[in-house]
């Protein structure tokens, strides 16, 4: 039973490029959450998605960031025109519909903008 | 905003019990207390959760006071691999999202 899979583990982008981060939830999980952790800081909620729906994007920056969770395939967090301040660890978590066991987190994608 | 208060850091000798406190005085009746930890830069790891009864699993025990305004996570025999940041979070699964505070940085020393 594979856990939450995130790829790539490390991503280097030049300023102005696009970054695409992928998250495959655990089997049977239909809820996906993205968090960002800046260096030496705590985890900040970004967005909560269910299949084909954004449920809560209150933590997403208003510009350049978008997320999707299509009917088929992984959830994608997309950052357009990256800047140095986007350098961070991005964690994805998933949860099932009705079990009260909290979230399972992936190992994260470390984005470095040069 | 996080609804919990935790000490910034704690030390514990290897082999001894680590008792991590958490205050959540504004917890509501349907909110659970969850504990996660983050080892170095890995993804957060679920430890345990509870509503009002004390809970125990293979990793830890959770003691919740009768008024539910505070709780303690107990690692019965801490090892060096338990060095991590521990987060106490109050959370109602069906409507909330996990909000992480600053947590307690536990350092286990030999």
């Amino acid at each position: 039973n594979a856990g939450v899979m995130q790829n790539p583990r490390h991503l280097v982008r030049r300023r102005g490029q696009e970054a695409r981060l992928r998250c495959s939830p655990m089997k049977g999980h239909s809820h996906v959450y993205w968090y960002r952790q800046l260096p030496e800081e705590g985890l900040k909620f970004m967005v909560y998605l269910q299949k084909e729906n954004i449920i809560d994007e209150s933590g997403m920056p208003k510009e350049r960031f978008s997320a999707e969770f299509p009917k088929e395939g992984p959830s994608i967090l997309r950052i357009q025109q990256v800047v140095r301040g986007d350098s961070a660890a991005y964690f994805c978590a998933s949860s099932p519909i009705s079990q009260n066991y909290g979230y399972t987190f992936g190992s994260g994608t470390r984005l470095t903008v040069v | 905003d996080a609804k919990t208060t935790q000490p910034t850091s704690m030390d514990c000798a290897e082999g001894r019990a680590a008792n991590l406190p958490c205050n959540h005085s504004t917890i509501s009746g349907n909110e659970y207390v969850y504990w996660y930890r983050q080892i170095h830069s890995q993804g957060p790891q679920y430890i345990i959760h509870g509503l009002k009864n004390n809970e125990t699993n293979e990793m830890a025990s959770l003691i919740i006071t009768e008024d539910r305004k505070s709780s303690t996570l107990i690692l019965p025999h801490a090892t060096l691999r338990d060095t991590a940041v521990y987060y106490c979070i109050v959370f109602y699964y069906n409507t909330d999202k996990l909000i992480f505070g600053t947590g307690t940085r536990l350092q286990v020393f030999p």
Side-chain angles (χ1 to χ4, degrees), chain A residues 5-84:
Chain A
M5 304 301 292
Q6 289 190 249
N7 65 81
R9 291 294 303 273
H10 300 276
L11 181 63
V12 179
R13 285 287 177 266
R14 296 185 185 279
R15 282 178 294 170
Q17 291 184 319
E18 178 179 287
R20 281 183 178 243
L21 289 62
R22 295 175 188 77
C23 170
S24 296
M26 284 187 69
K27 186 176 181 180
H29 288 194
S30 58
H31 299 202
V32 167
Y33 313 82
W34 285 93
Y35 287 78
R36 177 166 67 173
Q37 187 170 34
L38 295 170
E40 304 302 321
E41 295 189 13
L43 289 103
K44 301 297 183 187
F45 167 80
M46 298 181 75
V47 63
Y48 161 33
L49 310 104
Q50 295 178 16
K51 287 282 188 182
E52 300 184 281
N53 283 306
I54 297 175
I55 306 302
D56 182 343
E57 55 181 348
S58 58
M60 287 277 273
K62 293 288 185 275
E63 298 177 348
R64 302 187 297 108
F65 285 72
S66 62
E68 63 177 5
F69 188 17
K71 187 176 180 180
E72 302 292 337
S75 176
I76 305 289
L77 179 67
R78 182 183 178 204
I79 311 171
Q80 295 178 291
Q81 300 175 333
V82 296
V83 301
R84 289 226 171 104

Side-chain angles (χ1 to χ4, degrees), chain B residues 36-84:
Chain B
Y36 281 77
R37 72 181 181 183
Q38 188 175 26
I39 297 173
H40 196 227
S41 300
Q42 299 176 23
Q45 177 188 24
Y46 166 82
I47 301 173
I48 199 167
H49 76 283
L51 183 62
K52 47 187 173 182
N53 296 324
N54 298 337
E55 302 288 345
T56 295
N57 62 21
E58 64 279 4
M59 289 183 68
S61 294
L62 174 60
I63 308 298
I64 303 175
T65 57
E66 194 168 340
D67 63 8
R68 304 211 319 127
K69 292 185 177 182
S70 65
S71 60
T72 301
L73 177 75
I74 302 172
L75 308 178
H77 305 286
T79 71
L80 298 178
R81 288 176 293 182
D82 291 321
T83 293

